[in-house]
C-alpha cells in the first residue's frame, strides 16, 4: 500500500502518524464517562490491550480536562488494531452513558418568562416545605424534541451540520411560517401525583406543524445514530416546570445514592393550577443544546437555526 509520510493511506485516514523515534501513534478522543471502561477495573482492560497489540496506551489524568487517549507502537497495523478495540469497547458501553445534548426549542417569550417567575413565587408562598430548586428557571424554559449522545468534538460537529442541512425541510414542514403556541394547564408526568417527579405545562396550538417538525428532526437524528433508535417519532411536547431531580442532593444525603427516589406531592398543585395560563409564544429558533448552562442561564448552544 502506498505510503504517505511513512504511513499507509488507511492509517493516514484514521490519523496515524510516524513519529521521529520510528514509532507510530494515534490519538482518540474519549469522553470521561467512557474512560473507565477503556481502562478497566484496576487497569486490567488497558493492560490486556497493551499486551495483545504490543502498544503503549496513554490516558489523561483524572484532574486533566483533556480527553485524549494516545496509542503508540512499533507496528502501524497493531496501533490500528488497538484503536479498533478501544472504539469497540466504547460503542458497547454507549447505551450506559446518559445523553450529552438535545434538540431544544427555547421559549423566549417575555410574557411567559414573567408569568413563570410569578408562578414560582406563588408556589413557594403556598407550599412552604417545597425545595425552591425543584422549580424551573424562566431562563431555561424550553421544549425538548430529542435527546442525543455526542461523545466527541467530531460528533458534535456532524450533528451541528445535520441541523443546518435539514433547515429547508423543517421550513417546509411548518409551511414557511413560525408556529404560534400556548403554554397552559399544569399536568404531572407520573401516574401517581402524590409521588410526582415531573410537573409540566401543556403545549397547545392549531394544526399539525409542530408534530410534523418533531417527527422530521427525530427521524433525521436517529438515522445518523445520534439519537436512540428506539426513540418514538411522535414527540410529547411539554415544558417542564418542576422536576425532583433538580433538588440539591447534598441537602438530602439519605437519597443521594438513588436520585430517582426523590418525589414530591403534586396533588394540590394539579387541582389549583389545572387551567393555569402561562401565555403565548412563537417557535422562532431550534437549538442543538449541550446539557450545560451558558452565561445567560440557558443551555449552551452548539448550533441553531432561525425560523423567523
Amino acid at each position: 500500500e502506498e505510503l504517505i509520510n511513512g504511513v499507509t493511506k488507511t492509517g493516514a485516514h484514521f490519523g496515524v502518524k510516524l513519529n521521529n523515534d520510528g514509532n507510530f501513534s494515534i490519538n482518540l478522543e474519549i469522553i470521561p464517562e467512557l474512560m473507565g471502561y477503556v481502562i478497566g477495573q484496576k487497569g486490567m482492560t488497558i493492560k490486556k490491550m497493551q499486551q495483545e497489540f504490543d502498544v503503549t496506551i496513554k490516558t489523561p489524568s483524572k484532574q486533566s480536562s483533556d480527553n485524549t487517549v494516545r496509542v503508540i507502537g512499533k507496528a502501524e497495523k497493531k496501533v490500528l488494531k488497538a484503536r479498533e478495540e478501544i472504539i469497540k469497547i466504547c460503542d458497547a458501553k454507549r447505551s450506559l452513558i446518559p445523553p450529552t445534548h438535545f434538540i431544544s426549542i427555547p421559549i423566549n417569550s417575555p410574557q411567559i418568562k414573567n408569568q413563570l417567575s410569578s408562578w414560582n413565587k406563588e408556589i413557594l408562598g403556598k407550599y412552604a416545605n417545597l425545595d425552591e430548586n425543584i422549580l424551573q428557571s424562566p431562563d431555561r424554559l424550553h421544549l425538548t424534541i430529542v435527546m442525543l449522545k455526542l461523545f466527541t468534538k467530531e460528533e458534535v460537529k456532524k450533528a451541528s451540520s445535520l441541523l443546518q442541512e435539514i433547515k429547508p425541510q423543517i421550513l417546509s414542514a411548518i409551511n414557511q411560517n413560525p408556529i404560534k403556541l400556548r403554554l397552559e394547564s399544569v399536568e404531572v408526568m407520573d401516574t401517581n401525583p402524590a409521588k410526582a417527579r415531573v410537573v409540566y405545562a401543556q403545549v397547545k396550538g392549531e394544526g399539525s406543524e409542530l408534530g410534523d417538525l418533531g417527527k422530521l428532526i427525530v427521524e433525521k437524528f436517529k438515522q445518523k445514530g445520534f439519537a436512540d433508535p428506539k426513540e418514538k417519532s411522535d414527540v410529547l411536547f411539554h415544558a417542564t416546570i418542576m422536576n425532583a431531580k433538580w433538588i440539591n442532593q447534598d441537602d438530602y444525603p439519605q437519597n443521594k445514592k438513588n436520585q430517582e427516589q426523590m418525589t414530591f406531592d403534586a396533588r394540590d398543585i394539579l387541582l389549583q393550577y389545572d387551567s393555569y395560563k402561562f401565555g403565548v409564544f412563537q417557535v422562532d429558533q431550534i437549538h442543538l443544546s449541550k446539557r450545560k448552562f451558558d452565561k445567560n442561564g440557558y443551555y449552551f448552544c452548539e448550533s441553531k437555526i432561525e425560523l423567523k
Side-chain angles (χ1 to χ4, degrees):
E1 188 175 348
E2 182 184 346
L3 299 182
I4 302 171
N5 295 325
V7 178
T8 64
K9 281 187 176 180
T10 302
H13 173 74
F14 290 114
V16 175
K17 293 183 179 179
L18 178 61
N19 303 327
N20 293 332
D21 61 4
N23 285 319
F24 294 90
S25 67
I26 189 170
N27 292 340
L28 295 89
E29 186 187 353
I30 307 295
I31 62 168
E33 291 86 351
L34 287 171
M35 198 73 74
Y37 296 111
V38 173
I39 296 171
Q41 189 173 17
K42 296 182 179 180
M44 293 302 295
T45 303
I46 201 168
K47 286 177 184 176
K48 182 181 177 183
M49 286 191 287
Q50 289 182 137
Q51 292 172 356
E52 183 177 350
F53 303 113
D54 192 24
V55 296
T56 299
I57 302 175
K58 296 183 177 181
T59 60
S61 66
K62 290 182 179 179
Q63 294 75 29
S64 175
S65 59
D66 183 19
N67 296 334
T68 304
V69 170
R70 186 172 175 81
V71 181
I72 306 167
K74 296 178 180 178
E76 180 187 344
K77 284 186 178 180
K78 290 187 176 181
V79 167
L80 285 170
K81 285 287 185 183
R83 171 193 172 274
E84 287 178 15
E85 186 64 20
I86 291 171
I87 291 174
K88 182 180 176 182
I89 291 169
C90 291
D91 285 346
K93 301 299 182 181
R94 281 180 76 102
S95 62
L96 303 178
I97 308 300
T100 58
H101 294 73
F102 62 103
I103 301 296
S104 75
I105 297 174
I107 300 178
N108 294 318
S109 162
Q111 176 200 14
I112 290 182
K113 285 187 174 184
N114 290 335
Q115 195 66 23
L116 179 60
S117 181
S118 298
W119 188 82
N120 285 348
K121 291 176 183 176
E122 190 174 319
I123 289 294
L124 290 175
K126 282 188 176 182
Y127 308 98
N129 294 328
L130 203 62
D131 189 312
E132 63 179 3
N133 294 302
I134 208 169
L135 299 169
Q136 177 68 284
S137 163
D139 291 328
R140 294 175 193 163
L141 193 62
H142 67 279
L143 307 182
T144 296
I145 297 178
V146 63
M147 303 302 296
L148 308 173
K149 293 186 178 184
L150 309 175
F151 294 149
T152 66
K153 292 176 183 176
E154 186 62 27
E155 288 182 347
V156 171
K157 184 178 178 181
K158 288 180 179 178
S160 298
S161 297
L162 176 59
L163 182 61
Q164 299 300 323
E165 287 168 11
I166 63 176
K167 180 179 178 178
Q169 293 169 263
I170 291 173
L171 289 172
S172 177
I174 64 173
N175 298 316
Q176 309 295 324
N177 295 313
I179 306 170
K180 291 183 179 180
L181 301 167
R182 304 187 310 278
L183 205 61
E184 57 188 51
S185 301
V186 174
E187 286 289 345
V188 65
M189 192 69 75
D190 313 88
T191 54
N192 183 3
K195 294 184 177 180
R197 294 189 180 94
V198 174
V199 169
Y200 65 92
Q202 293 187 58
V203 179
K204 298 183 180 181
E206 307 300 328
S208 63
E209 286 85 359
L210 185 63
D212 294 341
L213 177 153
K215 284 181 182 179
L216 170 65
I217 291 175
V218 172
E219 286 303 316
K220 291 295 182 181
F221 280 85
K222 281 168 63 175
Q223 287 170 13
K224 293 295 183 180
F226 299 135
D228 187 336
K230 297 178 182 178
E231 186 74 39
K232 293 181 180 179
S233 297
D234 293 319
V235 181
L236 173 61
F237 283 101
H238 65 281
T240 299
I241 52 177
M242 301 177 75
N243 196 326
K245 75 178 182 182
W246 297 335
I247 296 174
N248 187 349
Q249 295 297 294
D250 292 333
D251 294 338
Y252 301 88
Q254 70 275 17
N255 289 313
K256 197 167 185 178
K257 289 185 179 180
N258 191 354
Q259 196 172 18
E260 291 302 313
Q261 288 182 352
M262 297 294 290
T263 62
F264 59 98
D265 190 341
R267 288 176 293 182
D268 193 61
I269 294 174
L270 296 187
L271 288 173
Q272 296 293 327
Y273 298 97
D274 176 58
S275 58
Y276 192 87
K277 291 178 171 54
F278 289 95
V280 178
F281 70 101
Q282 183 172 283
V283 178
D284 50 22
Q285 292 181 345
I286 297 176
H287 287 206
L288 169 55
S289 299
K290 188 175 183 178
R291 296 182 74 188
K292 291 187 177 181
F293 306 123
D294 62 20
K295 61 181 181 181
N296 297 315
Y298 192 65
Y299 297 90
F300 181 81
C301 179
E302 303 278 12
S303 180
K304 68 179 178 181
I305 56 175
E306 300 280 352
L307 303 181
K308 296 178 183 178

